[in-house]
Amino acid sequence: MSWELEFQNIAGIRSGRASLEPGINAVRGTNWQGKSSFVTAVETVMGTEAVLTEGEASGAVELQADGETYRVELDRDGEAVLRSGEPYLDSEKERVTASLYAFLDDDNDVREAVRRDDNLESVLTRPLDFENIDEQIAELSGERDQVETELERAEEAAEQLPDTQATIRRLEDDLEELNERREAIREGSPDEESVSDRRDELSDAKAERDSVQQRIERLEQTVERTAEKLDEKRAELDGLEIPEEDEDLASRIAERKERLTRVEQDAELLQSVFAPTKRLIDEDRMDLITDVDRDLIEDTVRCWTCGSKTSKGDVEDHLDDLGERISDLRSEAKEYRNDVTDLQERQEEVKRAKRRESDLEDEIARLESTLEERETSLEQARQRDEELESRIDELSAVVEAEDAELTDVESEIKYTETRLEEAREELETLESRADQRDTLEAERDELTDEIHRLRDRKAAIKRRTREAFDDAIQDILAKFDVGFEMVRLTSEFELVVARDGREASLDALSEGELELLGIVAALAGYEAFEVTEDVPAMLLDGLGGLADQNLQTLIQYLEDRVEFLVFTTYPETTSFEANTIDPREWSVVSPTTPT
């Protein structure tokens, strides 16, 4: 599946896009068209580079690969360029490994070290710095020490098993013998009460004594409360005042009620005459019941009871007198009513006082009876307590004398049971520890193997690197037309070149030969660290020192090692059977500015 890239303001490219196909991808163009900048863009989205176009504040590269989107953004912060986003390579180790052995641009550290004839050990073993081998060895060694300690305890447990098993058997025999002795003591002689029976009797007596003492305490409290309540009632009875009873009180109430009834009836009768007459006068309708002579000065009416004539004013005067009489009768009725109420309240007060006196006398009598009963119960309880104390003393003396041996035996039984339980727990622990020996030995061996593997890791990487270098150089000698007979990587990671049967200096090699050796050295690291598992792309740039034929041979040599092989080339070089990327479609900084 192809990769789709889109990039803005990366190195010398302002904007552009390209597609990478599985296999060979040739970025073909003249100088200053952005070939190297495109390689930088790929490195940027991989997470190994951060080169922002000069004068620009931000840039970005986006990669669509295998249904996923990876995007890295660059932002200028003063003199620094900050990188953010989600690159294709997750870990720092992957990025370092890729930049050393897969992204072989003109500034690649391995190629630079070969050009300078530097020792190659640091660049060809640098990813080991991220594995923290020494720290892993220290941690695993600590774990192994702990496992060995547990293994020693397990072996000691296995050695202790026979002694612990013998101890358990001995304790079980002792316990059986002690139980038999206890049963013999408990049964006693046939004509005597057993120790167990006497102990039960003593226990029952103590339980009854405790119950009796609690009853005494409750009765004492009850007697005290009853006596206090009796004193309160007596004091209340002594302080109770009963009003003097008036023998004529009932007759006086009856006489006042009789007067009240008579006065109320008189007032009601007069009111029945007053109200309609008052209404006839007020509504000027006296002509309904009598003759009325209308006059300018004063009307004359005929009395409807006696038939005599009188003036309307006299009638009104007599009616006013009648109203005053009614008011007087009502006032008199109110006085009688108040008298009746006062007399009834006095009568009720006397009754309440007499009832309270009777209630207090009854309650005092009840309390006196209750107090007497509870004092009797208290005395009986105290007598029973004394009897129980005496019986307990007798039983205690008997049980103490007869129970001494039984107590010693039971104490020894408990002690033996405890020791037996502890021995059984110890046996279980020892068996559990002893059963772990095979597991612990396997774990120790596994940790030891891992420690040895880590200790050999650096040596193995160095060995694999040199072997990969030797394999690659043999292919190079067979495939390329070079001016040296042999090149080897020493155990100290120094490059040694032989020409005409003698060791030659790297300065005597051509530019193309140095570039070829740099790529071979990088491929050695590529194989040793198995870069192809994490990095599916290899980038080649700055190969101008290689002749046309050598470039074609190198590309063919690398084609099967990686999924995406990307290299830069010029239009005049021989065309490859490859996906060609044309940089002319991109917007670059300036045709006169090297990129």
Side-chain angles (χ1 to χ4, degrees):
M1 183 178 292
S2 63
W3 284 8
E4 301 295 332
L5 291 107
E6 185 173 353
F7 31 90
Q8 300 88 31
N9 295 331
I10 302 299
I13 301 177
R14 295 194 181 280
S15 64
R17 62 176 65 241
S19 296
L20 296 181
E21 301 294 338
I24 302 174
N25 294 268
V27 186
R28 185 180 296 275
T30 62
N31 288 334
W32 312 317
Q33 285 190 323
K35 300 187 301 298
S36 297
S37 295
F38 173 72
V39 172
T40 301
V42 176
E43 293 173 334
T44 299
V45 79
M46 288 289 173
T48 62
E49 279 290 357
V51 181
L52 189 60
T53 301
E54 185 70 27
E56 296 296 335
S58 62
V61 183
E62 184 171 289
L63 168 64
Q64 301 283 342
D66 303 323
E68 300 290 338
T69 300
Y70 306 91
R71 181 178 177 84
V72 173
E73 297 180 352
L74 304 181
D75 294 284
R76 193 178 302 281
D77 184 12
E79 297 296 326
V81 175
L82 304 180
R83 181 172 57 203
S84 62
E86 183 178 354
Y88 185 92
L89 300 177
D90 295 329
S91 69
E92 185 64 22
K93 180 184 175 183
E94 291 177 349
R95 292 192 283 269
V96 169
T97 305
S99 66
L100 287 171
Y101 313 129
F103 300 162
L104 307 181
D105 57 19
D106 199 35
D107 297 328
N108 177 266
D109 287 352
V110 180
R111 293 175 65 183
E112 284 285 353
V114 172
R115 292 182 193 130
R116 295 192 302 266
D117 194 14
D118 291 343
N119 184 280
L120 300 181
E121 182 175 1
S122 64
V123 293
L124 292 181
T125 61
R126 188 178 300 168
L128 292 175
D129 296 339
F130 293 89
E131 297 185 13
N132 298 321
I133 292 178
D134 294 336
E135 290 81 351
Q136 291 184 59
I137 291 175
E139 183 178 350
L140 291 173
S141 297
E143 292 181 15
R144 185 178 63 180
D145 291 342
Q146 183 176 357
V147 170
E148 288 178 343
T149 300
E150 293 179 1
L151 181 58
E152 290 176 2
R153 293 175 61 192
E155 292 172 346
E156 291 174 359
E159 295 175 358
Q160 294 172 6
L161 281 176
D163 292 340
T164 304
Q165 291 169 343
T167 299
I168 289 174
R169 288 192 295 270
R170 179 177 57 80
L171 289 171
E172 288 174 341
D173 294 341
D174 292 346
L175 184 60
E176 183 178 359
E177 181 182 349
L178 288 169
N179 282 324
E180 291 175 354
R181 286 178 57 192
R182 179 175 63 181
E183 290 304 317
I185 294 172
R186 284 177 172 174
E187 291 175 359
S189 60
D191 56 347
E192 290 182 0
E193 187 181 8
S194 69
V195 175
S196 176
D197 293 338
R198 282 190 288 272
R199 186 184 297 108
D200 292 341
E201 185 179 354
L202 176 60
S203 177
D204 292 341
K206 287 181 177 179
E208 185 181 355
R209 181 198 58 187
D210 293 341
S211 177
V212 169
Q213 288 179 348
Q214 292 176 0
R215 175 173 171 76
I216 290 172
E217 184 178 352
R218 291 195 301 271
L219 285 171
E220 287 176 343
Q221 294 174 354
T222 303
V223 166
E224 183 179 355
R225 290 196 300 269
T226 304
E228 290 176 353
K229 193 170 184 180
L230 181 59
D231 291 340
E232 292 175 0
K233 298 303 178 183
R234 286 172 176 170
E236 184 179 354
L237 180 60
D238 292 340
L240 183 64
E241 294 183 1
I242 300 177
E244 184 177 354
E245 187 174 2
D246 189 349
E247 297 179 356
D248 297 333
L249 191 59
S251 60
R252 291 171 59 191
I253 291 173
E255 183 267 333
R256 289 294 189 279
K257 286 184 175 180
E258 182 181 353
R259 291 184 181 182
L260 174 61
T261 301
R262 185 171 60 253
V263 170
E264 287 178 340
Q265 290 175 348
D266 291 345
E268 183 179 357
L269 182 58
L270 292 177
Q271 180 66 28
S272 64
V273 175
F274 175 81
T277 305
K278 175 68 172 166
R279 183 178 177 185
L280 290 172
I281 294 174
D282 290 341
E283 295 182 7
D284 197 19
R285 297 300 306 278
M286 292 185 65
D287 53 352
L288 290 175
I289 60 173
T290 186
D291 296 332
V292 179
D293 294 333
R294 305 292 181 180
D295 192 279
L296 292 176
I297 298 176
E298 187 177 20
D299 293 339
T300 301
V301 297
R302 185 180 298 277
C303 178
W304 56 89
T305 58
C306 65
S308 61
K309 290 185 178 182
T310 183
S311 65
K312 183 179 180 182
D314 290 340
V315 173
E316 290 175 347
D317 291 341
H318 286 298
L319 190 61
D320 291 340
D321 293 340
L322 183 58
E324 290 177 2
R325 176 58 179 161
I326 293 171
S327 297
D328 293 342
L329 289 173
R330 287 177 175 171
S331 297
E332 186 178 355
K334 183 177 181 181
E335 291 176 1
Y336 287 137
R337 192 179 296 109
N338 291 336
D339 288 346
V340 170
T341 300
D342 292 341
L343 291 172
Q344 287 177 337
E345 287 180 356
R346 183 177 176 186
Q347 186 182 45
E348 185 62 28
E349 183 180 356
V350 173
K351 290 180 180 179
R352 284 197 301 268
K354 287 184 176 182
R355 284 196 302 269
R356 182 56 182 164
E357 181 183 37
S358 177
D359 292 342
L360 287 172
E361 290 173 349
D362 293 342
E363 191 167 357
I364 288 171
R366 183 183 60 78
L367 289 172
E368 288 174 344
S369 175
T370 301
L371 181 60
E372 183 179 358
E373 292 175 359
R374 290 176 178 173
E375 286 176 341
T376 300
S377 299
L378 178 60
E379 182 61 26
Q380 293 173 349
R382 286 171 177 168
Q383 290 176 359
R384 181 57 182 165
D385 182 54
E386 292 176 359
E387 294 172 359
L388 289 170
E389 286 289 351
S390 176
R391 181 58 179 162
I392 288 171
D393 291 341
E394 293 175 3
L395 288 172
S396 296
V398 173
V399 170
E400 184 177 356
E402 296 179 348
D403 203 35
E405 184 180 3
L406 182 61
T407 300
D408 292 341
V409 170
E410 288 184 338
S411 297
E412 193 170 352
I413 287 174
K414 290 182 180 179
Y415 175 70
T416 304
E417 288 175 342
T418 300
R419 288 189 58 196
L420 180 58
E421 183 179 356
E422 291 173 350
R424 286 170 176 167
E425 291 177 354
E426 182 180 1
L427 177 64
E428 184 178 351
T429 301
L430 293 174
E431 289 175 341
S432 176
R433 287 179 182 173
D435 291 343
Q436 294 178 357
R437 284 177 296 173
D438 293 340
T439 302
L440 291 171
E441 288 175 353
E443 187 176 353
R444 179 194 59 187
D445 294 342
E446 182 180 346
L447 289 170
T448 300
D449 292 342
E450 181 64 14
I451 290 171
H452 290 161
R453 186 191 69 78
L454 288 173
R455 285 175 176 166
D456 295 340
R457 171 72 170 157
K458 287 186 178 180
I461 288 294
K462 291 180 180 180
R463 183 177 63 254
R464 284 163 51 189
T465 301
R466 294 174 59 209
E467 290 173 354
F469 182 87
D470 290 342
D471 292 342
I473 206 66
Q474 293 302 321
D475 290 338
I476 294 299
L477 291 174
K479 297 178 182 296
F480 292 84
D481 183 15
V482 294
F484 50 82
E485 301 165 359
M486 184 273 296
V487 179
R488 66 185 180 90
L489 189 62
T490 69
S491 58
E492 288 78 21
F493 281 75
E494 298 286 350
L495 277 178
V496 177
V497 180
R499 188 196 299 270
D500 298 329
R502 293 181 302 175
E503 182 177 342
S505 171
L506 292 186
D507 294 338
L509 301 182
S510 67
E511 179 184 353
E513 291 171 335
L514 282 176
E515 296 298 346
L516 198 58
L517 285 179
I519 292 173
V520 169
L523 289 177
Y526 187 91
E527 295 295 333
F529 286 98
E530 299 175 343
V531 179
T532 187
E533 294 182 1
D534 300 317
V535 186
M538 179 177 287
L539 309 178
L540 295 172
D541 185 37
L543 302 178
L546 291 179
D548 190 353
Q549 181 61 41
N550 285 338
L551 177 60
Q552 292 190 50
T553 303
L554 177 62
I555 297 302
Q556 293 171 358
Y557 176 70
L558 297 175
E559 178 180 3
D560 296 333
R561 295 174 179 267
V562 66
E563 183 178 356
F564 293 89
L565 178 61
V566 182
F567 71 98
T568 60
T569 185
Y570 293 97
E572 58 270 18
T573 59
T574 303
S575 298
F576 292 87
E577 186 177 341
N579 173 49
T580 301
I581 299 171
D582 189 354
R584 290 178 297 178
E585 299 176 1
W586 306 333
S587 171
V588 298
V589 173
S590 171
T592 60
T593 301
T595 60

